[in-house]
Amino acid sequence: MIVYNAGSSMQAGADEALRAGGCLHRLLTFAEIDSFQAKPFKLLVESPPVPGQLTFIDSGAFGAFSRGAQIDLGRYCEYIQANKERMAAYAALDVIRDWQATAANVRAMAARGLDPVPTFHRGSPWPELDRLASEHGYIALGGVVSDRAGGRASMEGWLDQCMGRLAARWPVRVHCFGVTAQWAIERYPFYSVDSSSAIVGGAMGRVMRFQAGQVVQREWREDFAATYDGRVADGVLVEGTAHMGRRFASVEASRALERYATDLWRAKGVTWDS
């Protein structure tokens, strides 16, 4: 399984440090290419490739929709065409709350010679999931994050239905947007997931650890009291905030979770690439 680290760092030099410090897998949002994520997009194109590093490009349609903005399909396609050798995958441009227009965008991107990862959104008709799985070897599930208020039961019910239908077309690679909850990773054989916990959480004062087979998230003071890891504590190893130290610790946890999930599903006979 691949865990992509999403989110914007909003700190000078942070993206370079993350790239050099072992943050191998990044999910970048095209809607932010001229703003919050200008630096990581620049690094993606202009820096030498890092061995083992994978980048997933998401269109950012949901965030743009929330702000009342639009993403130009032509510009998005042109960027992918010019730089797709640097990308492990790139998502189709969604049209929020319109699965038919979303499907039309997938066809338009294919007409340009692209092979985007289409997203099946919560609320779309189930036959559309069947169609996507029959026509694409890598698909995504979206709309789960917005249901977090409903708790695990609501998320689990929908994901159970999705993965149950996809079982008939296995193997199919599935990316689940915005979900790295351990119960979900242990319950479903996702090929990839993404989370902003490492990058955004570090700036918010949180630290993620993977300890004794479990993901643990704590406020940095609590984490420092438990681990004595000076990287996460403001004013200990660096003057001011320790955003980067918390990010590095959380990236380490993301990689440990990635290895754990890969081994867990391999033991069950699921290797995704076989």
Side-chain angles (χ1 to χ4, degrees):
M1 190 191 71
I2 303 166
V3 177
Y4 287 101
N5 291 288
S8 304
S9 60
M10 300 296 290
Q11 184 179 1
D15 293 296
E16 294 90 338
L18 285 166
R19 184 179 176 89
C23 184
L24 288 182
H25 308 322
R26 284 283 268 133
L27 183 142
L28 301 181
T29 303
F30 188 76
E32 299 178 355
I33 192 172
D34 298 319
S35 55
F36 300 127
Q37 293 194 349
K39 179 54 70 70
F41 271 102
K42 182 179 177 67
L43 290 173
L44 173 68
V45 174
E46 298 181 0
S47 298
V50 176
Q53 186 176 55
L54 302 175
T55 302
F56 191 118
I57 304 297
D58 180 29
S59 69
F62 181 77
F65 174 82
S66 301
R67 299 190 300 271
Q70 291 185 331
I71 300 169
D72 183 83
L73 177 62
R75 186 188 177 201
Y76 184 47
C77 290
E78 289 170 3
Y79 182 85
I80 294 171
Q81 288 169 324
N83 302 289
K84 62 182 178 180
E85 72 280 357
R86 295 292 189 99
M87 306 171 187
Y90 45 90
L93 176 57
D94 298 324
V95 179
I96 305 304
R97 298 176 184 168
D98 190 336
W99 65 271
Q100 291 173 311
T102 295
N105 277 352
V106 175
R107 293 192 295 271
M109 294 179 74
R112 292 172 177 250
L114 300 177
D115 185 22
V117 177
T119 302
F120 178 74
H121 290 276
R122 189 163 189 163
S124 298
W126 289 113
E128 178 65 1
L129 177 61
D130 301 333
R131 185 188 70 79
L132 292 176
S134 67
E135 296 180 5
H136 301 269
Y138 193 1
I139 67 172
L141 302 177
V144 188
V145 175
S146 61
D147 190 53
R148 283 177 178 168
R152 172 175 172 175
S154 179
M155 294 171 62
E156 187 176 297
W158 186 73
L159 288 171
D160 277 356
Q161 288 180 284
C162 289
M163 299 305 286
R165 296 182 78 99
L166 292 174
R169 292 174 171 79
W170 197 263
V172 58
R173 299 182 186 185
V174 179
H175 180 89
C176 194
F177 278 116
V179 175
T180 54
Q182 189 165 347
W183 68 263
I185 285 174
E186 292 176 341
R187 187 175 180 85
Y188 310 111
F190 296 135
Y191 177 76
S192 56
V193 294
D194 68 90
S195 171
S196 62
S197 295
I199 294 176
V200 177
M204 300 295 290
R206 296 191 299 271
V207 183
M208 184 169 69
R209 304 281 184 179
F210 191 77
Q211 300 173 329
Q214 293 293 319
V215 175
V216 178
Q217 294 200 54
R218 296 181 283 232
E219 193 269 339
W220 73 260
R221 294 176 182 83
E222 182 185 359
D223 185 82
F224 180 63
T227 65
Y228 295 101
D229 184 350
R231 296 178 301 169
V232 308
D234 290 352
V236 174
L237 297 184
V238 296
E239 294 184 9
T241 61
H243 291 177
M244 289 309 301
R246 294 192 282 270
R247 287 172 178 144
F248 285 135
S250 295
V251 165
E252 290 169 3
S254 293
R255 295 179 67 179
L257 177 63
E258 183 179 80
R259 292 191 295 270
Y260 166 81
T262 299
D263 292 342
L264 174 72
W265 285 101
R266 180 182 293 120
K268 296 180 180 183
V270 178
T271 61
W272 293 279
D273 294 316
S274 62

